[in-house]
Amino acid sequence: MLGLFDSGMGGINTVRYLKRTGDDSDLIYLIDRQNAPYGIKTEEEILEITKNNIKALTAMGAERVLIACCTASTVHGRLPDKERGLSVPIVGEVAKRAKKLTRTGRVGVIATDHTVRTHAFAREMPSLSVTELGVSELVGMIDGGLCDLTARDTDRERIENIIRPVLTSGIDTLILGCTHFPAIIRTVSEIAKKYGDISLVDSAKVGAEILRGLKT
Ligand code: DGL
């Protein structure tokens, strides 16, 4: 059996993508509401949370665990051997998709403040020009109920104001480097269109694809 965890609303997007493809496999999904949000915590706190969540999922019967969260994935290399061995982070795979998609080599990342502080995405794409923007504010808005269906004009304006610095940096590819953000992917996509032909990389979707690969 496979396990996955994320803070708050994040991993729900991953599970949704998986189910949409008709996948009915047995999963254990730990929705870590208690520790949300991760992205404004210290590295040590995120490490401790990640370790404990992997332990909890294996205690419940998971043989492999997807760290379905970009923020928690940044501490994968610091996990104790056992927890590192049976868990799979998502950041590297998400970056690979962006590398394939970009035509100009200019990639943007919106992620939590912690993920951006670690430069986890930029380090995966050393030969590209990567503009990273910490937007933990969006995580709070989404955990508070914001999604494409509920977004009003004022929410759209607020989102645009938050992500404008990355959209105006000449990118042709934007990584949604937090699995919460697919909840507003349509809104982000509409906003991004105003700034050019920008392709989006959805980290939750990549997580679902990794999970599918782990089963086979
Ligand atoms: N959804 C998570 C991520 O992919 C974490 C968001 C948070 O709790 O700050 O980074």
Side-chain angles (χ1 to χ4, degrees):
M1 184 151 47
L2 297 174
L4 74 155
F5 75 91
D6 198 351
S7 80
M9 295 297 290
I12 287 168
N13 295 313
T14 306
V15 174
R16 201 159 45 93
Y17 284 128
L18 203 69
K19 296 293 166 196
R20 210 185 272 171
T21 58
D23 192 301
D24 59 353
S25 55
D26 236 3
L27 291 173
I28 319 177
Y29 172 33
L30 196 161
I31 305 172
D32 190 1
R33 281 237 165 82
Q34 194 184 356
N35 293 306
Y38 291 173
I40 51 171
K41 291 195 160 45
T42 66
E43 168 106 4
E44 296 312 311
E45 285 171 322
I46 296 166
L47 182 61
E48 203 50 32
I49 290 167
T50 302
K51 207 169 27 176
N52 290 338
N53 285 347
I54 295 170
K55 279 189 181 151
L57 284 163
T58 48
M60 287 186 272
E63 284 127 8
R64 302 294 302 279
V65 172
L66 179 77
I67 307 181
C69 166
C70 297
T71 307
S73 289
T74 67
V75 300
H76 181 252
R78 291 192 59 203
L79 286 170
D81 289 351
K82 188 170 172 231
E83 283 75 26
R84 194 175 63 247
L86 46 83
S87 63
V88 181
I90 61 172
V91 166
E93 205 49 46
V94 175
K96 258 191 218 162
R97 307 298 160 104
K99 277 192 244 175
K100 271 194 200 145
L101 269 179
T102 182
R103 305 169 306 273
T104 62
R106 298 176 73 93
V107 174
V109 179
I110 49 171
T112 65
D113 296 350
H114 178 269
T115 301
V116 165
R117 256 198 314 273
T118 66
H119 301 294
F121 283 104
R123 280 192 282 113
E124 295 284 345
M125 300 176 276
S127 59
L128 303 185
S129 158
V130 181
T131 305
E132 299 164 293
L133 185 68
V135 293
S136 275
E137 194 182 343
L138 287 181
V139 174
M141 288 163 71
I142 292 167
D143 274 336
L146 177 70
C147 66
D148 284 326
L149 291 175
T150 59
R152 293 163 303 177
D153 286 348
T154 47
D155 297 312
R156 285 171 208 278
E157 262 169 48
R158 192 167 163 201
I159 296 168
E160 182 164 355
N161 287 336
I162 294 171
I163 66 174
R164 187 178 292 115
V166 75
L167 294 176
T168 51
S169 65
I171 57 164
D172 73 351
T173 303
L174 176 66
I175 295 179
L176 304 189
C178 168
T179 53
H180 275 62
F181 301 162
I184 52 168
I185 194 165
R186 255 189 287 147
T187 308
V188 171
S189 165
E190 279 163 25
I191 295 169
K193 273 198 193 106
K194 297 198 219 167
Y195 295 82
D197 183 9
I198 300 174
S199 314
L200 303 187
V201 179
D202 177 340
S203 54
K205 203 171 193 173
V206 173
E209 285 162 14
I210 301 173
L211 208 57
R212 213 178 301 130
L214 286 177
K215 289 195 316 145
T216 52

